[in-house]
Amino acid sequence: MSSNTIKYRNSFLREVEANVEEGEWVRMCMQCGVCSGSCPLGPHWEHPPQELFMMIRAGKREEVLSSSSMWMCTSCYNCIVRCPRELPITHIMHGLAHYAHKLGLAPKNQPTKKFAQLFWDNLSKKGRVNELKLGLSLYFMNGFGEGIKTALKMKDIGLGMYKAKRMNPFEIFGGHGCKDKKGLQAILKKAREIEDAKADQYPKV
Amino acid sequence: MATKEYSFYPGCSSQKGASSINQLRSTQTICEELGIKLNEIPDWNCCSASIGYGGGGELPRLTLSARNIALSEQNHPGQDLVATCAACWLATREANDRFNEDSQLMAETNQALKEGGLNLKGEKKVRHMVEVLVEDIGFEEMKNHVKKPLEGIKIAGYVGCQTNRPFGINGESFENPVYLDKMIEAMGAEPVENYEKKVSCCGGALMFSEPEKSQALVKDILEAAYDGGADMIVTPCPVCQMNTEVYQAQINKKYGTNFNIPSVYYSTLMSVAYGKTAKEAALDGQIIRATKLEEIAGK
């Protein structure tokens, strides 16, 4: 049994409310299914949002957190604007995904999980995204062999972007970034500390 | 003409040699024409877009936007903060709204910002460039600057997701916003009526991690544009633009389709209608060339 299961005495709902972004909304879901029907990747969800909400309330901790479902969110915000109870569903999905990732429970090879982490690492390094390095790290995220295959598959697109001056090979050497990189990193570090300290503060129930 | 000034957040994709530098160029062109001055926020940072949540979580992610807003407050007091990128606008506006609704979040954010010598007051309005055009300039004035009406061109106005939801443009519906069609009309072109995929999702950032699932969505968006008789697609969003343009060859290969339809920014469209050169309109930034616009720009 993990420490969090003990901490929240089997109430996964309480755990979600305390630790997941906008998690306090989960109990408001009335199971109408409009979110699931509105999702552009709906058919690809192992458990669509309204099902995830019920599973959270039913205490299905491992099934929810190890699901690939919430990583299917494209951030289109259809579910948010259509939810009759105005749940911030997109954010809850992001929150669940981040929480699962933080606990190391997200599926190991989930591609969007990997890409999301690459994106964050890329931007937090210099404060701005280096598109070239991000693209290359994406191609090679599943190893060298597959990376070469992907790079070859994408070469025409890369060439097109280069010719249109929408891609610059020299970005590989340094590239764009914030001048006050140090300040930005100090800010991010502090924000992380505050968030972690808060998670630790929740009273044991 | 009186110049309207704004505090401008260009975003990572608008940097030199990045994927939507053509949007920046054409935006600068129309702004110059319409008397809009964009003052770039000094040393702005990435907003973490809609995919940063995975690694970043809540407070670090929101604090990124806080830094930009704080820099804007410090350097451009009294000017609205404006973004051209849908994701930049959404992330910044969302963060700004949340800081103003939640005093604890604001306090925590400021605690983090202090480490970089910054402070957030939260008194900015965060707006999309389209809001500036529609609300501060107006359709009539946009039309007044047209020198070469785009007659005979039929255009699918693809609004997409994040310029439309969850905030959208004031007074527009989420299911069928009409401002983009009205902008197309103001330029003298003909919008596709009832464009079926107007507000459908292109897969966004999942085009990178789930290309097959996302390309299936783009296929439908392109197909609906063809079904509506469109010569081209126009969009306000950099992700929509890129996703609808650059993967057409791969989609053709997979589905046996024959797509070859240009997808341009509204700012490119407007630049051409305003009589600007192909370069000023950033037509050279197209991978699928917008030949009908090139012809007009060359006249």
Side-chain angles (χ1 to χ4, degrees):
Chain A
M1 208 184 274
S2 83
S3 60
N4 272 349
T5 320
I6 299 161
K7 190 164 152 188
Y8 297 101
R9 270 198 211 153
N10 277 329
S11 172
F12 182 40
L13 176 62
R14 240 178 282 171
E15 183 183 342
V16 167
E17 286 174 336
N19 296 295
V20 171
E21 183 167 355
E22 306 281 7
E24 65 277 13
W25 284 89
V26 169
R27 61 172 70 226
M28 291 296 290
C29 169
M30 64 180 190
Q31 293 291 301
C32 71
V34 164
C35 51
S36 309
S38 301
C39 178
L41 290 188
H44 302 290
W45 291 58
E46 194 181 357
H47 307 291
Q50 121 261 12
E51 209 171 293
L52 286 176
F53 294 144
M54 189 48 102
M55 287 165 76
I56 291 168
R57 301 198 295 225
K60 296 189 180 294
R61 185 174 191 271
E62 303 301 318
E63 287 101 314
V64 169
L65 295 177
S66 64
S67 172
S68 69
S69 297
M70 47 277 191
W71 299 99
M72 293 293 141
C73 173
T74 64
S75 308
C76 80
Y77 291 78
N78 248 329
C79 53
I80 283 200
V81 300
R82 288 183 182 165
C83 175
R85 289 222 169 146
E86 299 183 359
L87 270 73
I89 302 173
T90 311
H91 301 296
I92 306 171
M93 294 304 120
H94 292 177
L96 279 172
H98 175 70
Y99 186 55
H101 180 42
K102 199 168 126 184
L103 297 177
L105 294 171
K108 195 168 166 284
N109 284 318
Q110 217 298 321
T112 301
K113 181 197 80 175
K114 283 186 170 179
F115 179 58
Q117 187 63 53
L118 289 173
F119 189 92
W120 181 262
D121 294 345
N122 186 303
L123 81 86
S124 47
K125 212 166 190 174
K126 298 178 83 176
R128 293 185 189 178
V129 167
N130 183 311
E131 291 183 340
L132 186 71
K133 285 184 187 169
L134 179 65
L136 289 174
S137 60
L138 171 75
Y139 293 174
F140 289 92
M141 74 180 182
N142 295 319
F144 187 72
E146 209 176 305
I148 296 290
K149 259 194 271 174
T150 313
L152 283 173
K153 198 176 153 198
M154 301 301 285
K155 73 173 189 327
D156 290 344
I157 290 177
L159 196 63
M161 295 293 280
Y162 172 68
K163 280 185 185 158
K165 295 195 173 63
R166 289 161 64 184
M167 194 258 272
N168 176 9
F170 290 103
E171 281 284 299
I172 201 80
F173 311 107
H176 299 294
C178 285
K179 276 190 229 103
D180 187 19
K181 199 172 72 182
K182 273 204 183 121
L184 181 109
Q185 283 171 347
I187 289 169
L188 283 178
K189 185 165 166 265
K190 188 71 185 175
R192 176 78 70 207
E193 276 169 23
I194 297 168
E195 187 151 286
D196 288 348
K198 240 170 67 175
D200 291 335
Q201 258 175 40
Y202 284 107
K204 291 196 168 95
V205 283
Chain B
M1 193 192 308
T3 303
K4 295 182 168 69
E5 291 201 47
Y6 301 89
S7 180
F8 181 48
Y9 177 35
C12 301
S13 302
S14 280
Q15 297 174 100
K16 194 164 181 264
S19 57
S20 70
I21 182 65
N22 49 336
Q23 185 187 32
L24 181 68
R25 215 159 9 113
S26 48
T27 300
Q28 283 164 340
T29 300
I30 60 165
C31 283
E32 208 170 296
E33 172 74 25
L34 295 168
I36 297 169
K37 186 160 181 260
L38 300 177
N39 303 311
E40 182 170 337
I41 299 171
D43 210 35
W44 55 266
N45 54 263
C46 173
C47 70
S48 103
S50 38
I51 196 73
Y53 67 84
E58 190 173 2
L59 192 62
R61 190 188 81 232
L62 294 171
T63 305
L64 282 173
S65 289
R67 182 176 176 274
N68 288 329
I69 303 167
L71 285 168
S72 169
E73 285 176 347
Q74 199 179 74
N75 292 283
H76 307 135
Q79 295 172 19
D80 288 347
L81 195 165
V82 170
T84 39
C85 166
C88 290
W89 173 57
L90 174 51
T92 313
R93 164 136 183 215
E94 201 168 271
N96 197 45
D97 284 5
R98 284 182 64 182
F99 297 139
N100 280 302
E101 284 158 11
D102 184 342
S103 55
Q104 197 196 334
L105 180 67
M106 176 80 116
E108 287 166 4
T109 304
N110 268 324
Q111 212 186 321
L113 282 181
K114 213 174 144 200
E115 299 292 312
L118 290 167
N119 183 59
L120 176 75
K121 294 195 239 22
E123 52 197 27
K124 280 269 170 175
K125 219 172 149 186
V126 179
R127 304 173 73 198
H128 191 280
M129 178 53 78
V130 166
E131 289 181 295
V132 170
L133 292 174
V134 171
E135 293 163 6
D136 300 359
I137 304 292
F139 294 107
E140 209 41 52
E141 180 65 11
M142 278 192 256
K143 194 178 169 175
N144 285 342
H145 290 260
V146 172
K147 291 187 186 71
K148 295 176 176 171
L150 308 177
E151 275 159 8
I153 301 182
K154 201 164 178 186
I155 300 175
Y158 176 47
V159 177
C161 298
Q162 297 192 347
T163 323
N164 184 44
R165 296 180 299 263
F167 303 115
I169 308 302
N170 202 12
E172 294 278 3
S173 94
F174 294 130
E175 308 293 339
N176 186 21
V178 295
Y179 66 86
L180 191 56
D181 291 340
K182 279 161 95 178
M183 284 164 76
I184 292 167
E185 244 165 5
M187 297 305 117
E190 185 194 348
V192 170
E193 221 179 303
N194 303 319
Y195 174 42
E196 204 198 323
K197 295 290 172 186
K198 186 190 264 185
V199 293
S200 294
C201 179
C202 68
L206 267 66
M207 182 59 89
F208 299 106
S209 52
E210 298 276 9
E212 282 181 21
K213 296 181 181 80
S214 303
Q215 287 185 11
L217 300 175
V218 170
K219 176 187 163 275
D220 292 346
I221 293 163
L222 300 173
E223 213 156 54
Y226 274 102
D227 288 348
D231 298 304
M232 66 186 72
I233 293 170
V234 67
T235 177
C237 170
V239 180
C240 293
Q241 194 286 327
M242 173 140 167
N243 282 355
T244 52
E245 183 187 29
V246 310
Y247 300 102
Q248 290 189 29
Q250 288 192 358
I251 292 170
N252 287 340
K253 209 168 155 193
K254 170 148 190 177
Y255 293 96
T257 45
N258 215 358
F259 296 134
N260 189 37
I261 187 168
S263 176
V264 306
Y265 291 113
Y266 65 88
S267 46
T268 291
L269 194 77
M270 291 173 72
S271 298
V272 173
Y274 288 173
K276 307 296 176 185
T277 64
K279 189 152 188 165
E280 288 166 325
L283 282 165
D284 54 348
Q286 295 297 126
I287 291 175
I288 297 179
R289 307 207 73 96
T291 43
K292 290 207 172 183
L293 294 180
E294 281 178 5
E295 279 165 27
I296 297 174
K299 266 181 204 162

